[in-house]
Amino acid sequence: ADLQAFLDGRPVQARGGHGWYRARKFIARHRWAVTAAGLTALALIGSSVLTYLQSREAQSQRDTAQLALTDAEQQRDRAQRVTQFLIDAFAAANPGGELGKDVTARDILDRGAKELDNELHDQPELKIQMLLTIARAQMALSLHTEARMSSEKALKIAHSREEIVMAAALSAQAYLNLAQFDTGLGYIAEYESVANGVTAADVLLERMRVDLLLFSGDREGALAAAELTLRRFHPHKDNELVIPHLAWIGLRRSFLLTRKQQFNEALAGFDAIQQLVSKGVLRDKELEVRLLRGRSITLSVSGNHEEAIDFARRALALTYETYGKTSSITIGAISSLFNALMRSENYNEAYTVAKEMLELSLELSKLTGVEEEAYSAMFNVANAASMLGRHEEADVAYEQAIELISGLYDTGSRNMFVYRVSRGMHWMRTKRYEEAREQLESALALVAIPESEIRDMQSGKEALAALGEIRNIEDLK
């Protein structure tokens, strides 16, 4: 029996009844059936696993979609609240509103900021968004102290990393505009460890670092910071939220290269940004204006006056088209044209442009309540009048501008230094050497800028050269 069983492939009784032995014999006798059954079982198991995984993926996608929908609804609600808040603020500015008839944009923003002090305590994210929106609007109107207060209020209640970095960046920007450079750099040093992402807020903070270093007089530090930031964020240059800030930093880099008289490299930087504008990657009109103005400055300083004036005119035409005449951006473009004309010694047209700048600045100050640009325009009128030999007009303009602008800037600021030197050079041209010497020596004594930096500035060079000339004249007497 065992022999027949062996021949038939069945278990042999003499071997005993071990399960694995019998299973092997069974599989050997029915290998095709067992193989088919095994494959069927594997297919069923695989199908079950695949179905399970697909179910998990579908659930994950539903959860993601629900989160996206919830976030979109929250963003919509916030946008609606911000819109309604602004509508309410401007409604108060109509003739029958609580602010009365004679109201400026400054009054409207002040009212909105005060209302936020007592509102939205239960919605901190929305309150932060509104405070930062108001801060940006205040900066656009040159209300820098108010912008600092709004951004610092946002910083105190910010929780998320991006909220903290954005509020810190706007606070630093406000201090930049107030010429409080060390305080602004202190903000950046305090929060730079948090700014370790690749968001618009992170790049803005680095952009403020570059600007603060630049305007504090540390041009080498500013150039190094600009190039470091451009290298750091280069892998993210296609991020549409990051690109605009990188472009602004690129503009600063080209400006700094211009100051080092590396004109070709500066113009190459402008070209790279222009390519992004031409491709439609950058759609920031203010940046386009600054790009044209920056190229104008580089060409003007390098002696290409005709091209410089052409780019300045193009910048001005773009501002008229985009912003109208009563805009601080337009005033800045007019100032660039004025400077290009002055460098080319086209004093008659420069005088006409300066008068237009003064008129528009005064109109703008009525709308915003800010008069800083009007005072700067008054200095331009004085400088052009002086070069044209209209000395009495220049005397009056310098006197008024110095008196008014001394309340805006610190005694030792760069701006006050430039204005004092301009007035001293006017007195040189009118051969009032004693008054010129007193004015220029005062400018050099009061300015809080390193001597090496003064010698590198155009105004510093003029002041030192004029004092040398005055000493020679006095020795001849």
Side-chain angles (χ1 to χ4, degrees):
D2 281 348
L3 179 59
Q4 186 61 46
F6 176 77
L7 293 173
D8 293 339
R10 296 192 302 272
V12 177
Q13 291 182 358
R15 288 288 302 271
H18 299 293
W20 175 238
Y21 169 68
R22 292 178 174 276
R24 281 192 296 124
K25 288 296 183 179
F26 179 84
I27 292 171
R29 292 199 312 274
H30 307 286
R31 63 169 56 89
W32 295 112
V34 170
T35 300
L39 291 174
T40 301
L42 286 173
L44 289 170
I45 293 171
S47 177
S48 298
V49 171
L50 180 60
T51 301
Y52 172 73
L53 292 175
Q54 288 177 336
S55 175
R56 287 283 301 274
E57 178 64 20
Q59 183 62 45
S60 175
Q61 290 179 356
R62 283 195 296 271
D63 292 344
T64 301
Q66 184 60 46
L67 288 172
L69 178 61
T70 301
D71 183 64
E73 289 175 345
Q74 290 176 346
Q75 293 291 341
R76 181 199 63 199
D77 291 342
R78 289 177 192 171
Q80 289 176 345
R81 290 293 300 273
V82 172
T83 300
Q84 190 58 49
F85 177 82
L86 294 173
I87 290 173
D88 292 343
F90 278 91
N94 67 49
E98 61 184 82
L99 293 180
K101 183 177 180 180
D102 296 324
V103 61
T104 65
R106 178 176 189 162
D107 297 325
I108 296 170
L109 289 172
D110 285 347
R111 177 182 181 274
K114 289 177 181 177
E115 284 191 356
L116 275 181
D117 288 339
N118 301 313
E119 293 186 11
L120 301 176
H121 298 304
D122 59 333
Q123 299 182 64
E125 292 182 355
L126 178 58
K127 187 168 185 174
I128 291 167
Q129 184 176 349
M130 286 188 170
L131 283 168
L132 296 180
T133 299
I134 288 175
R136 292 187 184 94
Q138 288 167 329
M139 286 188 198
L141 295 174
S142 299
L143 304 174
H144 305 309
T145 299
E146 293 82 353
R148 175 189 60 77
M149 294 170 62
S150 296
S151 58
E152 288 183 341
K153 286 178 184 177
L155 186 58
K156 287 180 180 178
I157 61 175
H159 293 292
S160 74
R161 189 196 71 83
E162 189 167 355
E163 288 173 349
I164 292 171
V165 176
M166 181 58 76
L170 290 178
S171 297
Q173 187 174 4
Y175 282 112
L176 167 68
N177 295 331
L178 290 166
Q180 297 178 22
F181 308 121
D182 289 342
T183 306
L185 288 169
Y187 257 94
I188 291 175
E190 182 176 355
Y191 292 100
E192 63 183 351
S193 61
V194 185
N196 53 10
V198 291
T199 66
D202 298 303
V203 191
L204 178 60
L205 191 73
E206 293 303 324
R207 175 181 160 189
M208 290 303 103
R209 185 200 303 275
V210 173
D211 282 356
L212 284 161
L213 289 169
L214 169 60
F215 289 103
S216 69
D218 185 3
R219 292 198 183 110
E220 291 298 329
L223 181 58
E227 293 183 335
L228 179 63
T229 301
L230 291 172
R231 286 196 300 271
R232 171 188 166 188
F233 288 94
H234 181 75
H236 311 283
K237 58 183 175 56
D238 294 329
N239 184 326
E240 62 181 12
L241 298 178
V242 168
I243 290 175
H245 293 300
L246 292 180
W248 280 101
I249 294 172
L251 286 178
R252 289 298 190 213
R253 176 179 176 275
S254 286
F255 169 77
L256 288 161
L257 291 171
T258 297
R259 296 302 298 261
K260 293 170 70 74
Q261 296 190 345
Q262 297 178 16
F263 303 124
N264 290 334
E265 193 173 349
L267 291 171
F270 291 134
D271 288 340
I273 300 171
Q274 182 59 53
Q275 288 179 9
L276 295 175
V277 173
S278 300
K279 292 178 181 177
V281 177
L282 289 172
R283 298 182 178 86
D284 184 340
K285 289 297 182 183
E286 183 179 357
L287 187 143
E288 289 185 46
V289 171
R290 293 279 188 172
L291 180 59
L292 292 168
R293 290 178 59 190
R295 193 182 290 273
S296 172
I297 292 169
T298 300
L299 291 167
S300 180
V301 174
S302 64
N304 296 316
H305 299 300
E306 189 172 334
E307 285 187 79
I309 292 171
D310 178 62
F311 275 100
R313 293 192 197 281
R314 288 168 58 183
L316 184 56
L318 182 57
T319 60
Y320 280 154
E321 176 186 338
T322 308
Y323 302 101
K325 289 191 173 184
T326 50
S327 162
S328 60
I329 298 174
T330 300
I331 303 301
I334 296 175
S335 179
S336 290
L337 177 58
F338 169 81
N339 290 329
L341 291 167
M342 288 290 285
R343 287 194 183 97
S344 69
E345 300 183 0
N346 188 347
Y347 301 126
N348 282 305
E349 187 176 356
Y351 176 80
T352 302
V353 168
K355 294 287 281 187
E356 179 185 8
M357 181 180 175
L358 178 59
E359 181 181 346
L360 295 179
S361 298
L362 291 172
E363 288 183 21
L364 182 61
S365 68
K366 292 177 183 178
L367 297 173
T368 64
V370 179
E371 299 179 325
E372 178 178 353
E373 286 160 334
Y375 302 157
S376 298
M378 196 176 297
F379 256 102
N380 288 344
V381 171
N383 287 335
S386 176
M387 297 305 295
L388 288 171
R390 302 180 180 183
H391 300 311
E392 291 185 5
E393 180 182 356
D395 283 343
V396 173
Y398 278 124
E399 185 68 31
Q400 290 177 341
I402 284 282
E403 180 180 348
L404 293 170
I405 215 162
S406 60
L408 290 176
Y409 299 111
D410 292 337
T411 300
S413 70
R414 183 185 301 267
N415 287 332
M416 287 303 299
F417 175 73
V418 171
Y419 294 144
R420 289 192 181 101
V421 170
S422 295
R423 193 183 193 188
M425 296 305 297
H426 165 65
W427 281 335
M428 277 289 294
R429 284 187 285 273
T430 56
K431 299 182 179 181
R432 287 176 283 183
Y433 299 121
E434 185 175 348
E435 291 92 333
R437 178 175 54 77
E438 291 178 358
Q439 183 72 27
L440 295 172
E441 287 178 346
S442 174
L444 291 166
L446 293 173
V447 67
I449 300 175
E451 184 177 347
S452 59
E453 178 74 13
I454 293 173
R455 294 182 179 279
D456 189 46
M457 295 173 59
Q458 181 63 31
S459 295
K461 293 176 181 178
E462 291 177 352
L464 293 171
L467 284 172
E469 184 179 345
I470 291 171
R471 293 189 188 99
N472 289 335
I473 292 172
E474 290 175 342
D475 289 343
L476 288 175
K477 292 181 179 179

